[in-house]
Amino acid sequence: MRVTPRRGNRRRGATVAVATAVVLSTLAACSGGGGGTSNAGPRGDGVLNVGMPNAPQADNSNPFLATSASVSLGYRAMIYEPLAMYNGIRPAEDARPWLAAEWEWNEDFTELVITAQDGPEWSDGTAFSAADIAYTFQLVMDTPAFNGAAIPFEEVEQDGDTVRLTFGESQFVNQNRILGTYIVPEHIWSEQDSPETWENREPVGTGPYVLETFTPQTVTLTRRDSYWQGLPEVEELRYTSYNDNNAQTTALANGDSEWSFVFMPDYENVYIAKNPDHHNLWFPTSLGVHGLWLNTDQEPFDDPALRRAVSQVINRDDIHVQAHAGLYPALENPTGLPLPAGEPFLAPEYRDATVEADADAARAELEDAGYDTSGDTLLDPDGNAVTVDLIGPAGWSDYLTALSIISDNLGEIGIEATLNTQTVESWRTAVDNGEFDATLHWTNSGGTPYDMYQHIMDGGMYHPVGEGSPGGNFGRYQNPEADAALDTYATTSDEGEREEALHTLQRILVEDVPMVPTVAGPIGAQYNTTNWVGWPDESDPYGPPQPTQPNALDIVLRLKAAE
């Protein structure tokens, strides 16, 4: 990897105050054929057809369970609403008030005071109040299955139209998660003995839509007239769950599905060309990446010099274009921070830097560290041939193509790489247990770079090879300096200390290479403008376009019927 200056200067924004959480979605290619039932209505009838390639769904609309249909297909965001609405692709922007009229954190982010919005009502006609906010957070506090981020709630207090939350430690890095919590009605949920398993088949929310019908293939939502904000023009939402990527792609191509997120290797021909005036695709990035995880707990990748050389020789442009069809945004910066989302967070020394493959620099790095070559074979300082076993999930064509490119790149510096595929389940177990030399995987993403860096290098998640580490640090990386910087970033109330901690994490990723970022993690979507216009795009990036993201309701509220 050669770090070179960028042309021109980049404006540096203010540090984020309230930002967004985005969960990276990775769609594996599904085996088998067949599609979901097409339920597209006649055009111009007020219907928006949404699709996901997630196979038949169980009748479950619990908004807190990742396995529910409402989360899988994204329709929970049309029924339930958060306290604040934020822009996942512009994390430095302030969140907009939603069910919270306003909020205020104390200096060290251990206390949050929320003022409830005046005016919303639940879809059954009951008035919304601060009591519902207080109840929801008490529910999350008391139900570990609903608190996936393990936020250390200490106390929830209501006083009139305000709710006061206190925490056991600073929640600077979790502001987005807390303000993005979906609020549920106390008068409904308090009657449930086991909310963590409740299927919630008749959901009651403050959003503009109610669930009309449910089948394993299609869920229909209809607009209600009593919504507290301006009514959306979309009168009906039809969510169809197609059997696999191919079926979803076909539905998009023929217009049965108007809004989706599916990986299309040949999207120009199979989708755009079918209706070039109206078929659109936009894949902006968040603050997360996909990359090559190296097992730093075993030879030869316990050597930072070798890791740097690997990073220097990998051709990220080829991976971006050939493996991910240009859909996963290219990485421009050596810190791994995707741009423009990461631009406000860049350390000064990396603000104008770019990366490109440089085999000569990689060879020089290895020579300085005592490596030698014998013919076309790289020898470590002890004279042993350097080899690597690359593993990947069978059927994930984008990952396997990227690993093939990486194998060829490593061959340029004498590393013999072998590519082995596994079942998805076996691969995930191997990743969690650290039973690999190198593999591709994604990182967490959030409203600040903390989530990405913590996922890569948090020593608190270290487990020896053979013991599961599903929370992250798959490469078994240990560095006390990184741990201290992560802790400072998450807990300090001093903005200067937090900024310096973030800059330290960037330097560690560049210089010590605990993982090699290859492409940015997108929050993309395909959408059709035949019937509806007003979608977010490069000219108006008001939010990520993906239909399963928390801001999906904000998109629907902005859509207008096409002329």
Side-chain angles (χ1 to χ4, degrees), residues 2-3 65 100 136 173 207 211 217 219 225 450 454 467 474 478 519 553 562:
R2 182 168 67 225
V3 180
L65 298 180
T136 298
V173 297
L211 194 154
Q217 287 76 35
V219 182
D225 295 333
Y450 173 87
Q454 187 256 355
E467 295 184 12
F474 306 125
Q478 297 184 84
V519 291
L553 173 58

Side-chain angles (χ1 to χ4, degrees), residues 316-490:
R316 292 164 176 81
D317 286 340
D318 285 351
I319 294 173
H320 162 64
V321 174
Q322 297 175 28
H324 299 290
L327 296 180
Y328 288 25
L331 283 176
E332 306 174 50
N333 194 274
T335 64
L337 288 178
L339 304 178
E343 187 174 345
F345 305 98
L346 285 172
E349 62 261 46
Y350 302 120
R351 197 170 302 148
D352 298 319
T354 59
V355 294
E356 60 183 86
D358 191 338
D360 290 338
R363 294 187 192 99
E365 179 79 52
L366 293 168
E367 183 179 350
D368 289 345
Y371 289 77
D372 200 355
T373 56
S374 175
D376 294 329
T377 301
L378 180 68
L379 304 177
D380 69 18
D382 294 327
N384 302 311
V386 178
T387 63
V388 58
D389 184 21
L390 303 171
I391 65 170
W396 290 24
S397 59
D398 55 336
Y399 266 25
L400 297 182
T401 301
L403 287 169
S404 179
I405 292 170
I406 290 170
S407 176
D408 291 343
N409 295 157
L410 295 179
E412 295 180 45
I413 54 175
I415 298 177
E416 181 183 352
T418 303
L419 175 57
N420 293 305
T421 60
Q422 303 177 349
T423 66
V424 174
E425 182 178 359
S426 296
W427 170 74
R428 284 175 171 156
T429 299
V431 171
D432 288 350
N433 292 341
E435 296 170 337
F436 63 90
D437 292 342
T439 188
L440 286 172
H441 200 282
W442 57 91
T443 70
N444 285 341
S445 177
T448 72
Y450 173 87
D451 297 81
M452 181 182 81
Y453 289 130
Q454 187 256 355
H455 199 214
I456 294 171
M457 61 181 85
D458 186 356
M461 293 191 291
Y462 171 83
H463 293 276
V465 171
E467 295 184 12
S469 180
N473 194 1
F474 306 125
R476 272 58 187 174
Y477 183 71
Q478 297 184 84
N479 184 334
E481 184 182 15
D483 294 340
L486 288 168
D487 182 69
T488 297
Y489 189 86

Side-chain angles (χ1 to χ4, degrees), residues 45-67:
D45 59 358
V47 176
L48 173 61
N49 292 284
V50 189
M52 289 296 290
N54 295 353
Q57 300 288 306
D59 190 354
N60 188 322
S61 295
N62 190 317
F64 297 116
L65 298 180
T67 55

Side-chain angles (χ1 to χ4, degrees), residues 74-369:
Y75 67 82
R76 68 169 173 177
M78 306 299 163
I79 296 173
Y80 296 100
E81 297 183 289
L83 296 171
M85 190 69 70
Y86 31 75
N87 184 346
I89 55 175
R90 296 291 185 271
E93 294 181 358
D94 290 338
R96 291 181 289 126
W98 213 260
L99 288 183
E102 59 184 11
W103 58 88
E104 184 176 0
W105 290 92
N106 68 350
E107 184 176 346
D108 62 1
F109 294 91
T110 58
E111 179 181 294
L112 172 64
V113 177
I114 303 161
T115 302
Q117 193 75 254
D118 182 26
E121 67 172 29
W122 299 102
S123 56
D124 64 359
T126 304
F128 163 84
S129 73
D132 297 305
I133 298 176
Y135 170 79
T136 298
F137 282 109
Q138 190 67 49
L139 175 66
V140 173
M141 178 179 174
D142 296 340
T143 312
F146 293 171
N147 189 11
I151 293 173
F153 293 99
E154 283 195 340
E155 194 171 18
V156 180
E157 297 177 309
Q158 180 198 349
D159 182 11
D161 64 351
T162 65
V163 176
R164 177 177 172 269
L165 308 177
T166 56
F167 309 91
E169 59 189 38
S170 171
Q171 295 305 295
F172 176 81
V173 297
N174 285 323
Q175 295 174 73
N176 50 330
R177 293 185 174 94
I178 295 166
L179 290 167
T181 300
Y182 289 103
I183 305 302
V184 297
E186 179 183 17
H187 67 283
I188 301 290
W189 284 71
S190 61
E191 296 181 356
Q192 309 308 315
D193 294 330
S194 302
E196 68 276 12
T197 59
W198 185 40
E199 294 172 333
N200 189 30
R201 294 184 174 181
E202 298 179 358
V204 173
T206 56
Y209 295 94
V210 294
L211 194 154
E212 182 72 17
T213 61
F214 188 101
T215 73
Q217 287 76 35
T218 301
V219 182
T220 301
L221 274 59
T222 55
R223 187 182 68 188
R224 65 189 182 99
D225 295 333
S226 55
Y227 184 52
W228 62 284
Q229 300 193 79
L231 285 177
E233 289 193 17
V234 176
E235 299 175 15
E236 184 176 300
L237 287 157
R238 295 180 190 170
Y239 288 83
T240 300
S241 192
Y242 293 88
N243 284 352
D244 56 27
N245 286 9
N246 289 335
Q248 177 64 78
T249 298
T250 299
L252 284 164
N254 64 29
D256 285 345
S257 185
E258 299 173 277
W259 188 17
S260 181
F261 167 49
V262 62
F263 180 68
M264 294 179 180
D266 189 22
Y267 66 89
E268 287 283 1
N269 290 319
V270 302
Y271 176 58
I272 301 295
K274 302 299 182 183
N275 189 345
D277 290 335
H278 297 293
H279 286 182
N280 297 274
L281 178 150
W282 187 44
F283 273 53
T285 184
S286 63
L287 291 176
V289 298
H290 295 253
L292 186 70
W293 295 71
L294 305 169
N295 195 327
T296 69
D297 214 17
Q298 63 186 32
E299 297 180 345
F301 294 112
D302 57 345
D303 182 2
L306 181 59
R307 299 198 299 266
R308 284 193 294 272
V310 168
S311 180
Q312 288 169 327
V313 78
I314 288 178
N315 193 316
R316 292 164 176 81
D317 286 340
D318 285 351
I319 294 173
H320 162 64
V321 174
Q322 297 175 28
H324 299 290
L327 296 180
Y328 288 25
L331 283 176
E332 306 174 50
N333 194 274
T335 64
L337 288 178
L339 304 178
E343 187 174 345
F345 305 98
L346 285 172
E349 62 261 46
Y350 302 120
R351 197 170 302 148
D352 298 319
T354 59
V355 294
E356 60 183 86
D358 191 338
D360 290 338
R363 294 187 192 99
E365 179 79 52
L366 293 168
E367 183 179 350
D368 289 345

